[in-house]
Amino acid sequence: MARKSSWEWSRTAQTRQSMLQAAREIFAEHGFAEANVADVVARAGSSVGSLYHHFGGKTELFLALYEDHQAAHEEASASSVAKAKQAGVADPVELLIAGARAYLAGAWERRDLVRLFMEGDGPPGFELLRRTRGREWIRQNAVLLGASGDPVDRFMVTVLTSIIGEAAREVVTSDTEEAAQEVIDAAMVLIRRLDPLKRPE
């Protein structure tokens, strides 16, 4: 019985992944508003009933794609920061840079998704979700940097996070990986120059 259950779970996961991949392609080609559920299931080799069973509809499919994308970002950044710590890096800014490099590398690898989510063509409530995620990203960076809760520190962490976000916009519109890497390197130089938690004399 356990073997059958494991097989069914694997098949369900595979079906879900096939639909997400098909949705990624269809949404990237047509945008959310113009995308058609029938096109997604046809490309996934599945059925409309199966899509509604796994996701509930086009909106939920789009949001699941976004959540998977964000989870990949977070996992890569956290792993990169952990590796830097294991290598003896203790400077909070350098740890942030390690995480930012992983984040921006992921932006290049999934540039079709980043462009999709940047364009603002999403279901109702998506912009609010993006803003909420953005605030959480700032909070996580503040923890990593050991920033205090005072207004200047909050402002500096927000600026720093914005630099990474704007770098991602440039990365995903780069023509080549080399050009994207130049943007990433430039962003890291700027972060180091800002030294965000250093107070002026």
Side-chain angles (χ1 to χ4, degrees):
M1 189 70 174
R3 186 174 295 174
K4 182 181 177 185
S5 176
S6 176
W7 176 83
E8 287 175 347
W9 180 88
S10 176
R11 188 176 179 195
T12 297
Q14 186 178 11
T15 300
R16 184 180 187 277
Q17 200 54 46
S18 295
M19 286 187 182
L20 284 171
Q21 181 58 38
R24 176 178 179 169
E25 295 168 9
I26 296 296
F27 285 139
E29 290 168 16
H30 304 287
F32 174 78
E34 297 299 320
N36 191 304
V37 165
D39 292 335
V40 173
V41 297
R43 191 164 299 188
S46 190
S47 68
V48 172
S50 184
L51 183 144
Y52 280 97
H53 170 73
H54 286 282
F55 296 99
K58 186 169 84 164
T59 292
E60 292 82 1
L61 184 59
F62 184 93
L63 295 178
L65 198 59
Y66 177 72
E67 292 295 342
D68 275 14
H69 170 67
Q70 291 299 321
H73 267 327
E74 290 171 9
E75 184 179 339
S77 294
S79 175
S80 187
V81 169
K83 285 179 184 174
K85 286 180 177 178
Q86 288 172 359
V89 176
D91 182 347
V93 173
E94 291 303 318
L95 291 174
L96 182 74
I97 284 172
R101 280 193 179 279
Y103 175 89
L104 292 170
W108 170 255
E109 290 167 12
R110 296 184 302 280
R111 53 196 177 278
D112 57 329
L113 286 176
V114 178
R115 285 193 295 263
L116 171 67
F117 299 136
M118 280 191 329
E119 286 168 3
D121 176 21
F126 179 59
E127 282 304 311
L128 176 60
L129 176 61
R130 281 208 316 167
R131 287 196 297 271
T132 301
R133 278 278 188 173
R135 287 193 295 270
E136 176 59 19
W137 189 18
I138 292 169
R139 188 197 68 77
Q140 290 172 354
N141 286 343
V143 170
L144 181 61
L145 289 165
S148 71
D150 75 62
V152 174
D153 274 8
R154 284 200 308 270
F155 169 69
M156 290 302 292
V157 174
T158 300
V159 168
L160 212 59
T161 305
S162 297
I163 289 170
I164 300 167
E166 289 305 312
R169 289 178 179 270
E170 292 299 318
V171 162
V172 304
T173 56
S174 297
D175 293 328
T176 65
E177 188 172 0
E178 291 74 17
Q181 191 58 54
E182 287 179 8
V183 171
I184 293 172
D185 292 342
M188 301 309 108
V189 168
L190 183 54
I191 289 170
R192 286 192 179 100
R193 283 180 183 167
L194 280 177
D195 196 0
L197 301 181
K198 184 178 179 181
R199 290 284 192 263
E201 298 295 334

